[in-house]
Amino acid sequence: MTLHLRPIQFVDTPVERDGAVARLAGGMLWFSAYEVIEDDRRRTVAIADLDTLLTDKRAAKLHAAITAPRAPLVLGERTLRFDQPSVAGILNVTPDSFSDGGTLHEDPAAAASAGVALAAAGAALIDVGGESTRPGAATVWEGDEIARVVPVIERLARSGTLVSIDTRKASVMEAALGAGAAIVNDVSALLWDDRALDVVAKAGCPVVLMHSPEPSKGPHGGAGYQDVVVEVFDWLADRIAAVVAGGVDRARIIVDPGIGFGKSLSDNLALINGLALFHGLGCPILLGASRKRMIGALSNEAPVGERLGGSLALAMAGLAAGAQLLRVHDVAETVQAVRVWRGLRDRALVGR
């Protein structure tokens, strides 16, 4: 029987609640209870009664991971903090991205200018990708992918912008890191390319490990789940252990539950609702739900360009569950929403 803990019953403020609430991952949220999941059984344990739960070694380990502050990433002159939420801006330089492909892939200067504009709008990080991971997209030859991303990354790095490279390929990771990227974001969790783990370990760079059902084959396989939240958690826990064993510092790992990758609408909704459980992995959480298919499915098949409202709704759901990093297309709008959310939290934390 495997035990999991999901923080629940979040409160506006910890003021005058000593011993009755716990702080989530050193951030801006406090919660007053856990949903305790043991196979098919679920029960609620209040933080005030936590001693009765912590006699279980796994529960104690999960509680420690859930409440431990997430250390900031110091990346040259830039620091990415996780005690408050940040926004990562998506910059696709592909001809066939599901959302904005074809507009920037042949003009590195224009693409870099767009990235700088995203940073000016409040993005803490620009995530550059040269291969579409939409369903049915063709695999891009690594030479073409490098040619797409490196000139853009070089320009962004020279401007002082913090950059991550969104790729599955070790050679692209090497080229991008050499061009000035600071973080690797891999939808295959370093499983698609046999050399990827070694590249990241040798570089000592942070890495985003995203869940997909069969990452060695592609990001959109899979045959369904019994309990998608628990199964994705366990998969990521195993992957973190393997990556740490391969030489990557655990403090430099970010996790992504992979919204939309090999998952049904029901699965995606369950993952958003259960997102707080992933703090038990002890790593910052990246949520990438911007403009995803699930929004169209819930809003009369709204086309990709008309999914801002749904994207913001999912971003806010992520913030409410303590996600530290939101990967989005609509940076200015999301940053504004985050700032308003942050203002509400700041006011709540000073009491009534």
Side-chain angles (χ1 to χ4, degrees):
M1 181 161 45
T2 303
L3 179 144
H4 296 81
L5 299 180
R6 181 170 71 95
I8 58 173
Q9 298 180 12
F10 288 85
V11 301
D12 288 339
T13 174
V15 175
E16 299 180 358
R17 289 188 170 99
D18 290 349
V21 296
R23 189 175 184 180
L24 184 66
M28 303 181 70
L29 294 174
W30 276 258
F31 60 99
S32 62
Y34 279 119
E35 179 185 38
V36 181
I37 303 169
E38 297 174 277
D39 295 333
D40 294 332
R41 295 191 302 141
R42 296 171 186 253
R43 57 191 172 98
T44 298
V45 174
I47 295 300
D49 300 323
L50 194 59
D51 288 347
T52 64
L53 181 62
L54 298 188
T55 56
D56 182 285
K57 290 183 178 180
R58 177 173 170 84
K61 181 178 179 180
L62 287 171
H63 173 69
I66 288 166
T67 55
R70 306 297 183 250
L73 294 175
V74 179
L75 304 166
E77 297 180 354
R78 302 296 301 273
T79 298
L80 187 60
R81 296 173 56 183
F82 299 115
D83 59 341
Q84 54 187 296
S86 298
V87 170
I90 298 169
L91 185 62
N92 290 318
V93 285
T94 65
D96 60 346
S97 168
F98 89 98
S99 179
D100 54 358
T103 60
L104 298 170
H105 78 287
E106 293 183 332
D107 191 340
S113 294
V116 170
L118 293 177
L125 172 70
I126 306 302
D127 191 42
V128 178
E131 179 185 51
S132 174
T133 52
R134 63 177 174 80
T139 301
V140 177
W141 176 54
E142 58 194 23
D144 287 341
E145 192 174 341
I146 289 169
R148 291 173 181 176
V149 301
V150 163
V152 179
I153 292 170
E154 288 175 339
R155 287 170 168 83
L156 288 172
R158 285 198 299 268
S159 76
T161 304
L162 185 61
V163 179
S164 60
I165 176 64
D166 179 3
T167 186
R168 301 177 289 174
K169 303 180 183 72
S171 60
V172 181
M173 295 175 192
E174 290 171 322
L177 292 169
I183 299 171
V184 167
N185 178 15
D186 185 356
V187 299
S188 75
L190 305 180
L191 283 169
W192 195 82
D193 189 319
D194 290 341
R195 286 201 312 117
L197 175 53
D198 187 55
V199 168
V200 170
K202 286 183 177 178
C205 65
V207 61
V208 180
L209 302 178
M210 193 197 83
H211 172 272
S212 62
E214 298 181 87
S216 62
K217 298 179 181 178
H220 293 284
Y225 307 87
Q226 294 296 315
D227 185 329
V228 65
V229 179
V230 166
E231 290 174 49
V232 171
F233 179 99
D234 290 347
W235 187 96
L236 284 169
D238 290 344
R239 195 68 203 126
I240 290 167
V243 169
V244 170
V248 176
D249 184 351
R250 187 186 183 95
R252 297 176 83 77
I253 295 174
I254 300 167
V255 295
D256 179 350
I259 301 298
F261 286 84
K263 300 172 183 75
S264 68
L265 173 60
S266 178
D267 294 332
N268 290 322
L269 293 170
L271 284 168
I272 298 290
N273 284 335
L275 193 64
L277 182 136
F278 291 92
H279 291 289
L281 295 168
C283 301
I285 298 169
L286 181 150
L287 178 64
S290 176
R291 300 187 186 177
K292 287 287 176 74
R293 173 72 184 84
M294 65 181 293
I295 300 170
L298 293 170
S299 53
N300 298 317
E301 301 302 328
V304 169
E306 298 177 13
R307 296 177 183 173
L308 174 59
S311 296
L312 291 175
L314 293 175
M316 293 301 97
L319 294 182
Q324 288 93 350
L325 196 56
L326 303 172
R327 181 180 181 273
V328 305
H329 299 85
D330 302 292
V331 168
E333 295 86 349
T334 308
V335 167
Q336 185 179 80
V338 171
R339 286 173 177 165
V340 172
W341 180 88
R342 169 71 189 268
L344 292 167
R345 297 303 308 152
D346 285 345
R347 178 63 184 87
L349 295 179
V350 299
R352 297 174 178 81

